[in-house]
Amino acid sequence: MASNQLPGATVLASSGAASGLAFAPSALGPPTAGGAVAKEAAGSVGLRGAAKGLGEEPAHSAVEGHAGLALLAAGLAGCSALRGASRRSSATARPMAAKRRPTAVTRTGTARQAVATIARTEAEVGQKLHGWTCERIEELEELKCTGVLWRHDKTGAELISVEQPLEENKTFGVVFRTPPEDSTGIAHVLEHSVLCGSRKYPVKEPFTELLKGSMQTFLNAMTFPDRTCYPVASCNLQDFYNLVDVYLDAVLHPRALKDSRVLAQEGWHYEVENKDDPLTFKGVVFNEMKGVYSNPDSLQGRTLLNNLLPDTPYGVDSGGDPKDIPNLTFEYFKGFHERFYHPSNAKFWFYGDDPPAHRLELLDDFLRDFERKEVTSEITKQPLWKEPRCVEHAFAVGKDEDISKKSMACVSWVMDEDKPDLEMSLALSVLDYCLMGTPGAPLKKALTDSGLGSRVIGGGLYEGLVQPTFSVGLKDIKESDAKAVEALVIDTLTKVAAEGFEREAVEAALNKIEFSNRELNTGGFPRGLGLMFSAVSNWNYGKDPFEGLRFDAPLRAVRERLIEKREPLLEDLVRQKLLENMHRLTVTSKPDVEQGDKIEEQEKTRLQEHRATLSDEDVESLIRETKELKELQEAPDPPEALATVPRLELSDIPEATQTIPTELSRVGNAEVLKHPLLTSGVVYVDLAFDLRDVPADLLPLLPLFCRGLRQMGTKKSDFVQLQRRIDLATGGISATPMVSAKRGSEEPVAHLVMRGKAMEAKVSSLMDLMAEIATEVSWDNKERFVQLAKEGLAGGRSQLLSSGHVVAATRLGQQTTAAGWASEQLAGLSQFQTLGSLIDLAEKDWPSVEARLRRLQASIFKSACVVNLTADADALPRLDTHVEAFLSQLPEGQATSPFWTPEYTKTNEGIVVPSQVNYVGKAANLYKDAGYELHGSAMVTSRLLRTTWLWDKVRVVGGAYGGFCSFDVRSGDFKYLSYRDPNLQQTLDTYDGTAEYLRGMEVNDDLLAKSIIGTMGDVDKHQLPDAKGYTAMLRHLLGETDEMRQELRDQILGTTGEDMRRFADALDAVSSSGAVCVVGGEEAVRGASEKLGLSIVSPLAAAAATAPAE
């Protein structure tokens, strides 16, 4: 429920992050192994290429969650957070609107293997059923299923019903076209507000009640620049129907239309508690967007969109500009819902193994109350310009920052007057990949090699709007170099158009795109929702929705034209869509050390001027309204209202822990794990190399070392040729460090994990490439390495500004365990500081840096590793010879050194960044500081706190975008964190009041059951086959047996209210002796420094830019 960093999609609430997995993974589920996996998943959502927003690099945007329950983990892209499968709900399930619940489709082992047969429908064109008429039936060969387009007889609503009996993760979504007319954020605020109670569910937050007691695999809402989406997913049929029912009632009959206090809470309101207090603005979306506008990357993307398509709804900000949000009135709020949230403007989606006829009945129960209505919501197209344009804007930086190279320049085009057909869309995707998709692609390489900036921005092609766009540029440039960036882009495109693309590069692009589409690996994102977004990208604009679900025939046609006929298709597109296209915009973003103060002063002046117009009676009225709103927010929902919200029963949760089939063997010094799972011919290979021989002083170099493995080239190929070979033969190769605490041990578990995937016929090539990368990587290209470091430094700066809670969490974690210390060295503030000093060292003394890299390589890659294979059962035996050949290429030996033993110093820290909001953290280690012994009830209690006390006090009352906590059962770390928070001390006071809240809390049977069910949803999260295999490997590395997981599961299922209250004794340690870390603006952080005893750090200050890590 949020406006995304960039205008691609605005994401609400990934339930997934509600579990806090980003910081403290459950011992029953996989730990987070860094952002690489999540990024890869986000990049493959839907068909025809990476999911990304305009001006956004593929798979790089962060996820924003409703109430902050979706953690903006470092690199986490794509709405992840899965809950697991359970058996069908019992007959004692809670109240539901629909009259009957059909049973789910039974899936036998035979049925699951029948992937070559298309699942056909019983529907017929012209058939009438449950108030709907079947208009079209499409066999989706690529997906091995059938899609049916239905139209509702009474309202004209459209439904795509995809019948896929092999998919247990059922998905539903409703999409409304919601073109904004101004930047008050009306669409965004309404998206938040409709989930705050409805006709059938008269509670303040049905959304949180669902989070408490659902096995959902996805529970979210998204505000796009021109539409609003409400998707849900679950593997449990009863749970799925519960989610659909609550969401349908929410969007069609929200409480918010009758209670202006919902707008006040979610959007904005004046707040004043005492007569002499100054007025302030409060509101969840208001503070969320202040955080967004504090991020220069986000601001640049929004400026680009608004000015590239100024005569369309994209000319304003659907997420809301903080200076305009307070102009939103209750009357306009209600009118917007009345205009656009009507079935006649709705597009519904179902996908999965649920009975298709019941989908129609369920929807008709809601829609039959409405009459057909003419809704004017078509998205205006932008007329193409005759001349290019330029725009400049300022963004805030700290007063002590070096701004000599902090500008950005981005060149963008609207590529056509309309959306292209599927064949042209695929051709544009190939062009995009050839120009920008790899480090060696000519446009990306030219910008990177120019030395003008630190990092390529823009993201290339974006087709998620009414017209396709293309954007590319550089960040961290001199202001005077903006024209040089524009000229370099044009010159490079001119050269490409004249000289053409290398044939092998085109083949690699085609293979990469085809592999991604056939695999359809959406990572933590339900496949059905990825497909929905692909369909909606056409459907929303009156185009064929099924076209967005196909790729076979058009890809063959594009391949024939490019490879067999050798047509200059791509070169022609460069000329027609870019060089000869005058609808070009250059956006220059300039740092301004005064901008932050200007924005704050403008807000203060506005509030003072309004205050001056108020009489004493007006002020008293505002004081009364402030008090009444807080009383409403803090008052519990009546039991009878809570009872209306449907949930599962504890009897629906399997008592036995889920297991992953695993065969363990040895080949020489290596352990080999095999997982026979249905992968449709794809082989997934994970290689884990122990890091215990890595010296502590080299550990901060490891993230850049991992990037270099893929992007420095080898003895056989430079980095351009290496990437091309990877794309021609595989689905991709990655390398990332994985560090985790281990239950019962002071030592961490730390590995470098290389991951690759390929069709079985190409496994030999895949493993040869992985061996070549590990043993023959070339470290002699100083310029290339420095550029990688600069890109990492730029990414670190973005994280400091957009994901301050992640920074705070890692800083707190380094004070308690070796795993926490190592994680902070690899992905925290220390890593950012290290990169600055490393760049300086590389420029002055490259041989010493190269020597460090070679020491790292020698200390990591040894034959005593873990080889993890996930594939179809019949393929696994055929992989043995490939494994043996791979291992034979590695140096003999195994890691023998003891792990790092850092010294731990408790420190309260304030990290100053140019931000209008704060990120407030407090933490302690419950095992060491409170003597707590692990019991599964701690996981239930932590989840309860996230969805009650912290949600209510930090988000609802405090106005922060998110407030949450996490408990790492492996390390014992318990962390409180807030996200885009207007407060600081008030939030810390809330944290310190948690133990007393627990002691005084009344835990009735309903609340207890919800908390247990929601926790089991975190534990039994749904996973695709590659993720299951990877999870099994991590459990093996961590020594977590099925018996250990079963014991913890039994404790979770047996949790009592007394168990929860006892946890308060452990939390006393956080209140009394926990460390504090705050990331925020200078005034807020320095204002709290004396009281909290903060050690102040200004990592973006000019003097600190190249300071060594502490």
Side-chain angles (χ1 to χ4, degrees), residues 885-937:
F886 168 79
L887 293 172
S888 69
Q889 299 177 67
L890 296 180
E892 290 291 328
Q894 59 185 22
T896 57
S897 303
F899 267 116
W900 323 289
T901 55
E903 294 183 4
Y904 308 120
T905 303
K906 179 191 165 187
T907 304
N908 289 344
E909 193 169 29
I911 300 173
V912 175
V913 297
S915 175
Q916 300 177 57
V917 290
N918 305 311
Y919 305 85
V920 183
K922 188 169 187 179
N925 188 284
L926 301 189
Y927 298 160
K928 297 178 180 180
D929 298 333
Y932 179 73
E933 294 185 5
L934 176 62
H935 189 273
S937 60

Side-chain angles (χ1 to χ4, degrees), residues 98 172 314 346 373 418 499 502 509 550 582 642 855 1029 1094:
F172 162 80
Y314 313 126
K373 174 183 176 181
D418 203 350
E499 298 179 1
E502 294 181 39
R550 301 186 184 283
M582 292 298 102
L642 287 172
R855 283 175 60 202
L1094 300 179

Side-chain angles (χ1 to χ4, degrees), residues 93 147 228 264 295 316 419 428 431 603 620 831 940 971:
T228 308
N295 185 340
V316 296
K419 289 191 79 71
L428 290 174
L431 173 63
E603 182 178 316
E620 289 299 326
Q831 174 64 200
V940 182
S971 70

Side-chain angles (χ1 to χ4, degrees), residues 75-137:
L76 185 62
C79 296
S80 64
L82 297 168
R83 306 293 183 266
S86 68
R87 63 179 179 271
R88 190 171 64 87
S89 179
S90 66
T92 59
R94 306 266 294 182
M96 279 295 305
K99 296 179 281 296
R100 60 187 175 85
R101 298 288 169 242
T103 58
V105 176
T106 301
R107 297 175 303 280
T108 65
T110 302
R112 281 199 172 276
Q113 294 293 335
V115 294
T117 303
I118 296 178
R120 289 182 168 81
T121 181
E122 295 180 1
E124 297 179 356
V125 174
Q127 177 185 5
K128 291 188 175 293
L129 184 63
H130 299 306
W132 296 81
T133 299
C134 175
E135 292 193 341
R136 186 175 167 193
I137 297 173

Side-chain angles (χ1 to χ4, degrees), residues 26 83 86 107-108 205 236 324 378 406 433 444 483 651 660 664 687 708 744 764 983 1016 1064:
S26 158
R83 306 293 183 266
S86 68
R107 297 175 303 280
T108 65
E205 299 268 10
N236 180 291
D324 293 322
E378 288 74 19
K406 281 292 185 291
Y433 197 82
K444 188 167 188 177
K483 289 294 184 183
S651 58
I660 298 169
L664 175 61
L687 308 169
S764 177
N983 308 304
M1016 292 311 303

Side-chain angles (χ1 to χ4, degrees), residues 965-1096:
C965 64
S966 66
F967 177 53
D968 185 340
V969 299
R970 297 185 176 104
S971 70
D973 281 352
F974 187 95
K975 298 172 184 172
Y976 296 108
L977 297 160
S978 71
Y979 179 64
R980 291 182 181 166
D981 191 345
N983 308 304
L984 198 161
Q985 186 60 54
Q986 178 180 321
T987 299
L988 290 171
D989 291 342
T990 295
Y991 297 163
D992 290 344
T994 303
E996 286 309 307
Y997 167 78
L998 272 180
R999 292 188 178 99
M1001 179 181 60
E1002 180 182 349
V1003 184
N1004 57 36
D1005 291 344
D1006 181 64
L1007 181 59
L1008 179 61
K1010 285 179 179 177
S1011 301
I1012 293 173
I1013 292 167
T1015 303
M1016 292 311 303
D1018 297 336
V1019 169
D1020 288 343
K1021 62 171 130 315
H1022 179 268
Q1023 293 180 305
L1024 296 178
D1026 65 312
K1028 288 182 179 179
Y1030 185 70
T1031 295
M1033 180 188 72
L1034 294 178
R1035 289 173 181 163
H1036 174 75
L1037 295 174
L1038 293 164
E1040 293 174 358
T1041 65
D1042 290 341
E1043 291 73 23
M1044 293 169 62
R1045 296 172 53 242
Q1046 184 64 56
E1047 180 183 15
L1048 205 56
R1049 185 185 191 90
D1050 292 342
Q1051 293 171 354
I1052 293 170
L1053 292 172
T1055 295
T1056 65
E1058 188 56 35
D1059 290 331
M1060 290 181 164
R1061 284 185 285 270
R1062 273 198 299 269
F1063 193 59
D1065 295 337
L1067 293 185
D1068 282 336
V1070 188
S1071 302
S1072 62
S1073 60
V1076 171
C1077 183
V1078 179
V1079 180
E1082 184 166 2
E1083 181 178 350
V1085 172
R1086 294 194 183 278
S1089 62
E1090 183 175 351
K1091 180 177 181 179
L1092 297 176
L1094 300 179
S1095 173
I1096 302 296

Side-chain angles (χ1 to χ4, degrees), residues 328-348:
L328 179 58
T329 68
F330 186 51
E331 291 305 314
Y332 188 72
F333 175 83
K334 292 189 296 182
F336 196 87
H337 183 277
E338 181 181 354
R339 287 163 59 195
F340 297 121
Y341 279 62
H342 189 279
S344 298
N345 189 45
K347 292 171 173 57
F348 296 95

